[in-house]
Amino acid sequence: MSLKTVLVLLGLALATIFALVCVLLTRERTPRSCQHLPPEQEDIEDGQSLVFADLTPEEMSQVVRYLQGHLGVPLVEASRAKPSDNCIASVDLQVPAKAEVLRFLDGGGARPPREALAVLYFGKQPEPNISEYVVGPLPGPAYHRDVTVQKYGGKVPYHRRPVTGKEYVDINALIQRELKQAPRFLAACCESDGTNLVALTTAPRGFKSGDRVTWFVLFHNVAGTGYYLSPVGLEVLVDHGDLHVSRWKLHKVFYSGRYFASTGDLEQEFVAGALEVVRLKQPQADAVLGSMKPRCPPGSPGPLQFEPQGPRYSVRNNRVTFQGWSIAFGMNPNTGPRLFDIRYRGERIVYELSLQEALALYSSNCPGGMSTRYLDGSFGIGRFAYELIQGLDCPYTATYVDRHYLAETDTPKTNQNSLCIFEHDSALPLRRHFSDSQSFYYGGLRKNTLVIRTISTLINYDYIWDFMFHANGAVEVRVHATGYISSSFFHGRGTDYGNRVGPHTLGTMHLHHIHYKVDLDVDGQLNSLETQDMEYQFVKDPWSTQNTIERPYLRRERLEKEDEAAFPLNVPMPRYLSFVSPNPNKWEHPRSYRIQIISFAGKHLPTNSSMERAVSWGRYQLAVTRRKEEEPTSTSVYNQNDPWTPTVAFADFINNETITNEDLVAWITVGFLHVPHAEDIPNTVTVGNGVGFFLRPYNYFNEDPSVDSSDSVYFSSEQDLGACGANPLACLSSAATCAPRLPPFHFGGFLNLSLAPPLGGL
């Protein structure tokens, strides 16, 4: 063999070895298409977010045991307590003061002590009252302090307490006893002896402070369907304000446009032939109005969203991280979802983002409907966020998280899988451009979003609460309403107050108004408020002075006082409104975040209403105030049962203080008017019934931060578009082979329920 041949073979061998090494290195760096990759980790010290973490069941139990042993008064478990007893109503996290938390998170200070807030009903005292105690430190509580006077200026009157499940049970027993006084009427009107009727609470309860008098609306109860669409025309007014249940009484009875002093009077009128009765048949489960049972067999499965290489987000304890985002999440049993310490690319954007209240205000020509103003926080927006249905409420492969609460019992309860977290492909570009001139190329980025979701069932309505985090640094908050409408018995001029949706069912007009707290910290705590909008200038054309042109110009304004920053509901507000930092970006504009509200709210309760101050947050679509530790929430659970002397009146927060270079809070109201119609049967659909707001970067960055996304796509006419390295979309065919093996479907959400939930459906 010649030397030349040897050299050629040696060269070929070296080339082969080099190629094999490259392949091995490539295989080492590029995982198989179906190999799960660990999600990226954010640079946040492990465990810091636990300062915001909801209480664990063990911590709740420790607080209960401590209170039972240290208050020096007898405590009855709330699920059995009479109004004349003392009981622990609820235990929740006491969120530490912001200054303490920031010293810990940002300044290397000590971790704030972990504490609980316990609410107690003291019925067995000379002056019955509601008291609130801070208990700590956890674990192993050693102290408690009464903070009621500090928070509210005095003891909270006992009549303001939310109605407990035990109280509803006792009311139902009273109603059943009273219905026995009208057996012939019930047989004629409803084919009933009363036991197959269900009573639905209204609220508030009376007309003045101290009242605890509630209208209950009666419906036919049919197993497996919503009774809310089957009113029988009978409503009863119950006085349950006395500490002694034996003294409760039925005050008044309403039937189909007429009022009676008692069920006995109603019976007398019927027997005498002086009462016209609409004779209803007991609805049958297979034909009842509002049945949600499918009417056709299942079809082929729809599209399924999955992650070829596993989730790209990470959930650890109460913190989720995703592509530059970091969020601490939790759930208040009364007010619902709450987020803290929202950061993007390591910078805090929002200190607190929390739901405050949900108002549902109804109309009707029946007393129950016309007097209803539900403040859902008093019922428990977080407490009644039940287990989510995988594959329908959230994607099948979402991460599901349990939530724990202690309310009306001494034993913590768990709503399993009641919060979900997932990455959502919206099937819409976040940004894109196709170039068809000068050079030919395409660039774009899919709109993939991190979603944190929970769903609350509050009597008839289901609220879907979404918090969404986008690749351009924007936060989106959205709520959808679905579930059953509430209804009245159709009679007289019922259509002045809604639409007829069944033979004897009036879908009653109502509004949904939702309130949020947004404590923005844009490039630091000290922010100001700036508005921008357009005007037209009429100017002479510089190049043709005999003509004029209408030139838009940008009008900027800094708002100096809280009164200027309170924007009334349904009044046009500046199109651009931003929290601005004193610090500029690269282009010398203040680093800012813009608030953009999407809402179709109904009219707010007139300010001369005796109960308007209790919901005075609803006066404003946006109000910006200086942040104060003593103004943590815009309302109170005690406002529902005494709106005439509200425990917290948001209107008092606005007192014309300066809002320039201060720690500011945005209070946002969104909502919609709902006039029920035939298509709301069986359920209101989410289409068109979603409202919310955006927090959008506005000169906060020097360019759109999504340009750094690894999901970006760019290719030109000169490239091989089928090559996976040049075009990530060409890799999808192999990724599609990575469909996951889905775990078996499981749902345990019915396990902790009774047939008489403590929300007034008795």
Side-chain angles (χ1 to χ4, degrees), residues 310-564:
R312 304 196 299 177
Y313 57 86
S314 173
V315 180
R316 178 178 295 182
N317 298 317
N318 65 320
R319 179 170 292 280
V320 56
T321 54
F322 171 73
Q323 296 188 352
W325 285 106
S326 170
I327 308 106
F329 60 88
M331 183 87 78
N332 181 296
N334 296 319
T335 58
R338 54 189 177 191
L339 308 181
F340 291 97
D341 197 25
I342 300 174
R343 307 187 196 189
Y344 186 63
R345 294 186 166 189
E347 294 188 3
R348 182 177 300 110
I349 306 297
V350 180
Y351 178 77
E352 178 185 355
L353 170 52
S354 57
L355 179 62
Q356 298 289 294
E357 187 59 279
L359 164 68
L361 187 153
Y362 282 84
S363 177
S364 177
N365 59 346
C366 297
M370 73 173 73
S371 60
T372 295
R373 288 98 173 87
Y374 289 132
L375 295 172
D376 288 331
S378 72
F379 293 101
I381 297 172
R383 174 184 172 188
F384 294 106
Y386 294 115
E387 182 169 355
L388 299 163
I389 306 299
Q390 58 189 126
L392 201 157
D393 291 334
C394 306
Y396 203 98
T397 59
T399 297
Y400 293 85
V401 182
D402 297 346
R403 296 289 87 194
H404 313 284
Y405 68 91
L406 190 147
E408 296 189 32
T409 176
D410 291 347
T411 305
K413 301 292 184 183
T414 298
N415 285 340
Q416 295 183 339
N417 302 332
S418 55
L419 183 145
C420 71
I421 300 166
F422 57 94
E423 182 182 352
H424 174 60
D425 181 355
S426 65
L428 180 74
L430 178 68
R431 53 176 173 79
R432 60 95 71 190
H433 180 66
F434 178 82
S435 177
D436 61 354
S437 63
Q438 303 303 316
S439 59
F440 304 138
Y441 64 88
Y442 174 87
L445 177 65
R446 288 185 304 179
K447 185 181 174 185
N448 280 18
T449 307
L450 179 74
V451 181
I452 300 175
R453 171 178 293 170
T454 190
I455 303 177
S456 303
T457 298
L458 294 155
I459 309 182
N460 53 307
Y461 261 105
D462 298 61
Y463 292 102
I464 303 171
W465 312 105
D466 282 343
F467 300 86
M468 308 166 72
F469 302 88
H470 297 277
N472 67 327
V475 179
E476 181 180 355
V477 178
R478 190 170 60 187
V479 55
H480 286 90
T482 180
Y484 284 98
I485 61 170
S486 189
S487 68
S488 291
F489 190 77
F490 179 76
H491 74 96
R493 296 177 58 90
T495 51
D496 288 348
Y497 311 100
N499 285 316
R500 188 175 179 181
V501 295
H504 304 286
T505 303
L506 176 71
T508 48
M509 176 177 66
H510 57 281
L511 57 80
H512 297 275
H513 286 179
I514 317 294
H515 203 228
Y516 292 91
K517 177 183 181 181
V518 188
D519 181 0
L520 281 153
D521 284 352
V522 179
D523 194 21
Q525 283 181 259
L526 302 184
N527 294 152
S528 302
L529 193 66
E530 182 176 278
T531 67
Q532 298 181 12
D533 214 328
M534 63 172 290
E535 299 289 352
Y536 282 104
Q537 295 173 319
F538 292 86
V539 297
K540 290 187 179 297
D541 277 351
W543 63 92
S544 179
T545 55
Q546 70 272 25
N547 296 309
T548 59
I549 190 170
E550 302 80 25
R551 178 172 62 184
Y553 76 95
L554 186 61
R555 187 187 71 243
R556 306 176 193 264
E557 183 180 1
R558 286 285 176 99
L559 304 185
E560 306 288 337
K561 300 286 187 179
E562 287 179 340
D563 286 10
E564 300 174 71

Side-chain angles (χ1 to χ4, degrees), residues 556-619:
R556 306 176 193 264
E557 183 180 1
R558 286 285 176 99
L559 304 185
E560 306 288 337
K561 300 286 187 179
E562 287 179 340
D563 286 10
E564 300 174 71
F567 298 93
L569 196 70
N570 296 324
V571 173
M573 59 186 286
R575 291 170 178 83
Y576 279 66
L577 193 147
S578 304
F579 273 43
V580 303
S581 160
N583 306 315
N585 71 355
K586 180 179 179 180
W587 315 114
E588 299 301 319
H589 293 293
R591 301 186 75 196
S592 309
Y593 256 76
R594 175 190 174 196
I595 299 172
Q596 184 178 0
I597 299 173
I598 312 296
S599 178
F600 319 100
K603 289 187 176 181
H604 178 61
L605 201 64
T607 54
N608 60 1
S609 164
S610 61
M611 62 180 69
E612 187 275 339
R613 276 178 53 78
V615 292
S616 53
W617 50 264
R619 297 178 189 177

Side-chain angles (χ1 to χ4, degrees), residues 172 176 190-192 194-200 217-232 280-285 288-289 755-757 761-762:
N172 188 56
Q176 288 296 322
C190 317
E191 291 189 351
S192 172
T195 58
N196 62 342
L197 300 182
V198 59
L200 176 65
V217 184
L218 276 71
F219 298 81
H220 267 134
N221 190 19
V222 182
T225 190
Y227 60 83
Y228 318 100
L229 300 176
S230 302
V232 299
L280 304 175
K281 292 189 177 297
Q282 171 69 23
Q284 299 304 306
V288 66
L289 182 68
L755 292 179
L762 305 175

